[in-house]
């Protein structure tokens, strides 16, 4: 039960971080117009720094590059299975924007802002060398999001953009991080401290923004759509169970690094990512449904995520 309680506490603390944003909005100390500004700080400052920070202190090695490749492949496969399955089930209803949102909501997870604190809580001794995998997850999610995800939401392949896939703050941060990792460049201590500080701002700031957005929602209508709950169940119960089955199969048949498999399972257990809302806003379809999904998935993660983490000790 130790893993369950650690996960429960970590998720609980994350959710509490959203309370200041909620209260500041309710007390009218902040307005809804502030949300885009905070979101831009998160997107253009914190997220690139988080990518660079995830590679900090990891010595370059061929073995690590191979592990990164294996992790990326696992993520591509499980995303393909989840997206493909959801699309086949919901494609007849895709004329309605909410079903397109739900399709990608079953798959894209909050691997960085939510995943990193969970990894640090559950695997503290190894966390410094493992959070790099959350950046790999983010790369896979960005590539699939700007191609397959955008096309699903818009129902039009013209929204598949390779330029937007690789020319965005998150991917630029990843590019810089990889360059630093491969070349072994060391930042001055002051710059390294600044990057680390901005990176560690990412999680609390993302939760504060979530709290602010929650304060603008109609709570009653937000919690009455059964389709959202079914999507959350697929994302936070079915997806991690598929990931767990994959992990156990790999443990028996291969010599893949156990820590890599643990991170794969943890990240697949995270709630729906805000990128679902970002793509809905860009395409101009289903923004309210996307906001409801992300908020409810994050709030309800207090239950399924710790429960799923009961399986973590079996990955050994």
């Amino acid at each position: 039960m130790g893993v369950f309680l650690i996960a429960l506490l970590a998720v609980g603390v994350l959710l509490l971080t959203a309370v200041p944003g909620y209260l500041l909005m309710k007390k009218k100390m902040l307005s809804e117009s502030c949300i885009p500004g905070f979101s831009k700080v998160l997107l253009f400052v914190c997220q690139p720094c988080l990518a660079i920070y995830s590679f900090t202190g990891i010595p370059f090695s061929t073995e690590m590059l191979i592990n990164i490749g294996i992790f990326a492949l696992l993520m591509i496969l499980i995303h393909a299975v989840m997206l493909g399955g959801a699309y086949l089930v919901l494609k007849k209803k895709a004329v309605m924007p909410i079903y397109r949102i739900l399709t990608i909501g079953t798959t894209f997870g909050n691997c960085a802002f939510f995943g990193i604190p969970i990894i640090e809580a559950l695997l503290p001794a190894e966390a410094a060398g493992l959070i790099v995998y959350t950046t790999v997850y983010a790369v896979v999610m960005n590539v699939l999001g700007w191609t397959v995800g955008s096309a699903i939401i818009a129902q039009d392949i013209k929204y598949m953009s390779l330029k937007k896939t690789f020319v965005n703050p998150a991917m630029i941060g990843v590019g810089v991080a990889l360059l630093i990792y491969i070349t072994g460049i060391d930042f001055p201590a002051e710059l390294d401290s600044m990057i680390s500080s901005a990176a560690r701002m990412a999680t609390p700031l993302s939760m504060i923004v979530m709290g602010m957005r929650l304060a603008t929602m109609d709570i009653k209508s937000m919690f009455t759509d059964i389709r959202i709950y079914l999507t959350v169940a697929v994302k936070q119960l079915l997806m991690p169970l598929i990931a767990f089955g994959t992990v156990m199969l790999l443990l028996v048949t291969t010599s893949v690094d156990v820590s890599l498999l643990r991170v794969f399972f943890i990240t697949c257990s995270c709630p729906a990512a805000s990128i679902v809302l970002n793509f809905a806003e860009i395409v101009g379809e289903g923004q309210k449904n996307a906001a409801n999904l992300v908020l409810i998935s994050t709030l309800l993660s207090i239950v399924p995520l710790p429960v799923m983490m009961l399986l973590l000790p079996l990955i050994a």
Side-chain angles (χ1 to χ4, degrees):
M1 291 297 289
V3 172
F4 175 84
L5 292 175
I6 291 170
L8 183 66
L9 181 60
V11 175
V13 169
L14 281 172
L15 295 179
L16 282 175
T17 313
V19 173
Y22 181 85
L23 293 177
L24 287 169
M25 288 288 286
K26 284 299 185 182
K27 296 293 183 181
K28 302 192 183 302
M29 298 173 71
L30 291 174
S31 67
E32 190 172 352
S33 62
C34 295
I35 296 178
F38 283 115
S39 297
K40 286 176 182 176
V41 172
L42 190 62
L43 179 65
F44 290 99
V45 179
C46 297
Q47 196 166 359
C49 287
L50 188 61
I52 296 170
Y53 170 75
S54 70
F55 278 88
T56 302
I58 303 174
F60 176 80
S61 70
T62 304
E63 181 184 1
M64 188 62 189
L65 279 180
I66 292 172
N67 282 342
I68 287 173
I70 292 170
F71 190 86
L73 180 60
L74 287 173
M75 280 301 168
I76 291 170
L77 290 174
I78 196 166
H79 277 68
V81 169
M82 296 300 299
L83 272 178
Y87 179 76
L88 289 174
V89 171
L90 301 175
K91 68 177 181 177
K92 290 184 178 179
K93 299 181 178 180
V95 66
M96 299 173 64
I98 184 172
Y99 289 103
R100 299 178 228 153
I101 296 298
L102 298 183
T103 298
I104 65 170
T106 60
T107 307
F108 294 151
N110 193 341
C111 57
F113 304 147
F114 213 90
I116 289 176
I118 301 300
I119 292 169
E120 291 177 333
L122 294 174
L123 305 170
E126 309 166 76
L130 296 180
I131 60 174
V132 65
Y133 293 122
T134 64
T135 298
V136 179
Y137 187 129
V139 170
V140 172
M141 193 167 62
N142 265 278
V143 171
L144 291 175
W146 283 108
T147 52
V148 179
S150 295
I152 288 173
I153 292 178
Q155 292 286 281
D156 192 336
I157 61 171
K158 75 178 184 181
Y159 282 90
M160 298 177 71
S161 172
L162 286 178
K163 180 180 178 181
K164 290 179 179 178
T165 297
F166 296 103
V167 184
N168 62 70
M171 294 298 283
I172 290 171
V174 170
V176 173
L178 283 172
L179 179 64
I180 293 166
Y181 174 63
I182 293 170
T183 60
I185 296 172
D186 286 325
F187 286 136
E190 294 78 9
L191 181 58
D192 185 60
S193 176
M194 184 205 77
I195 291 172
S196 298
S197 297
R200 291 201 169 272
M201 280 171 53
T203 295
L205 183 57
S206 70
M207 296 305 294
I208 288 171
V209 169
M210 193 199 81
M212 294 170 67
R213 195 178 296 279
L214 181 62
T216 68
M217 306 294 287
D218 179 356
I219 301 297
K220 184 177 180 180
S221 63
M222 176 180 158
F223 285 96
T224 54
D225 192 338
I226 188 65
R227 296 168 297 185
I228 299 290
Y229 292 102
L230 291 173
T231 304
V232 170
V234 171
K235 173 66 194 76
Q236 295 181 248
L237 294 175
L238 180 59
M239 186 174 180
L241 287 174
I242 292 174
F244 180 75
T246 304
V247 164
M248 299 309 289
L249 178 63
L250 290 172
L251 282 175
V252 173
T253 59
T254 71
S255 57
V256 176
D257 181 65
V258 174
S259 295
L260 179 157
L261 296 176
R262 287 173 179 161
V263 175
F264 173 67
F265 174 63
I266 292 171
T267 51
C268 286
S269 304
C270 289
S274 59
I275 195 173
V276 176
L277 176 57
N278 294 343
F279 285 124
E281 290 175 341
I282 289 167
V283 175
E285 293 273 16
Q287 297 94 319
K288 182 179 178 182
N289 302 131
N292 284 353
L293 172 62
V294 173
L295 289 169
I296 292 175
S297 180
T298 305
L299 292 172
L300 294 185
S301 62
I302 191 73
V303 177
L305 199 152
V307 170
M308 286 294 103
M309 289 308 103
L310 289 172
L311 299 173
L312 188 64
L314 299 178
I315 304 175

